[in-house]
Amino acid sequence: MTSASEDSALDTAPDLTPAAEVEWQALPARARPLFLLDTSISLGVLFGVAGVVSGTLGLGMAAGIAAGATGALLGIATGIWIGTKQFNHCYWRLDEHGLAVRRGRLWQRETRVPITRVQHLDIKHGPWQRRRKLATLVVHTAGTRHSSVNVPHLDADDAQRLRDRLGRQIDLDDDA
């Protein structure tokens, strides 16, 4: 059993384990609807407007409205499919080198943020995220191109923990 002083020492020490030992973390299941909403609304509006414009130009107003409604439904269905894929293939991990985010399945993209490049950290809570106890961690990095990395729809406690650990490591690097 550990004493209170040992527990507080564990809380303040950065828990950065070697990359080989750290598992990729999936997003919480309650983030799935937000991925679906993001993509289905965007594609529904885009496909709906495209349907209205193409139908109106070719056949008249009534055909344009029917084409718009069909396009919107097709866009929503496509958005749900894409949102599900995005949710299922989005992972993060924190190790001794920094934060890594992996997205995609066919075209997999892994973004690594070394601790030495982290400038500051933000946590964003949108209204839907607050309702589901989620947050977006924004890691601002040194440099001009792609100077921030977003980890969307994290568990709010995980986002806070990541921000605190990366922040402590920044402070330790500054003191050295």
Side-chain angles (χ1 to χ4, degrees), residues 10-17 22-28 92-95 98-100 115 121-123 125 133-139 151 154-170:
L10 291 174
D11 290 341
T12 59
D15 182 20
L16 303 174
T17 51
V22 178
E23 295 287 326
W24 286 97
Q25 302 294 315
L27 297 174
W92 64 271
R93 76 175 177 190
L94 179 66
D95 58 28
L99 179 68
I115 291 173
L121 304 144
D122 293 324
I123 294 180
H125 300 275
K133 294 181 175 62
L134 300 170
T136 297
L137 177 68
V138 182
V139 181
V151 186
L154 284 169
D155 181 80
D157 293 336
D158 284 343
Q160 187 82 28
R161 184 175 53 84
L162 286 169
R163 185 188 67 178
D164 292 346
R165 287 185 181 168
L166 286 168
R168 281 194 299 263
Q169 189 61 34
I170 293 169

Side-chain angles (χ1 to χ4, degrees), residues 117-159:
R117 303 293 289 173
V118 174
Q119 295 293 309
H120 66 280
L121 304 144
D122 293 324
I123 294 180
K124 293 188 208 177
H125 300 275
W128 289 104
Q129 287 179 322
R130 282 193 305 271
R131 186 178 185 99
R132 296 185 163 275
K133 294 181 175 62
L134 300 170
T136 297
L137 177 68
V138 182
V139 181
H140 298 276
T141 61
T144 56
R145 187 166 185 247
H146 305 293
S147 61
S148 68
V149 174
N150 293 333
V151 186
H153 311 310
L154 284 169
D155 181 80
D157 293 336
D158 284 343

Side-chain angles (χ1 to χ4, degrees), residues 99-117:
L99 179 68
V101 181
R102 179 182 287 169
R103 293 183 178 109
R105 181 176 177 196
L106 187 56
W107 286 282
Q108 200 172 69
R109 186 176 77 230
E110 186 174 319
T111 305
R112 213 166 221 321
V113 181
I115 291 173
T116 57
R117 303 293 289 173

Side-chain angles (χ1 to χ4, degrees), residues 11-116:
D11 290 341
T12 59
D15 182 20
L16 303 174
T17 51
E21 298 175 18
V22 178
E23 295 287 326
W24 286 97
Q25 302 294 315
L27 297 174
R30 63 185 184 278
R32 181 187 306 267
L34 298 182
F35 277 90
L36 301 181
L37 274 174
D38 288 347
T39 55
S40 62
I41 289 174
S42 301
L43 289 178
V45 169
L46 179 68
F47 283 31
V49 169
V52 167
V53 169
S54 66
T56 303
L57 292 178
L59 302 171
M61 183 59 83
I65 292 172
T70 303
L73 290 174
L74 181 63
I76 290 169
T78 304
I80 289 171
W81 179 72
I82 290 172
T84 300
K85 295 294 182 189
Q86 287 176 342
F87 170 78
N88 289 337
H89 301 289
C90 185
Y91 302 94
W92 64 271
R93 76 175 177 190
L94 179 66
D95 58 28
E96 65 187 3
H97 303 293
L99 179 68
V101 181
R102 179 182 287 169
R103 293 183 178 109
R105 181 176 177 196
L106 187 56
W107 286 282
Q108 200 172 69
R109 186 176 77 230
E110 186 174 319
T111 305
R112 213 166 221 321
V113 181
I115 291 173
T116 57

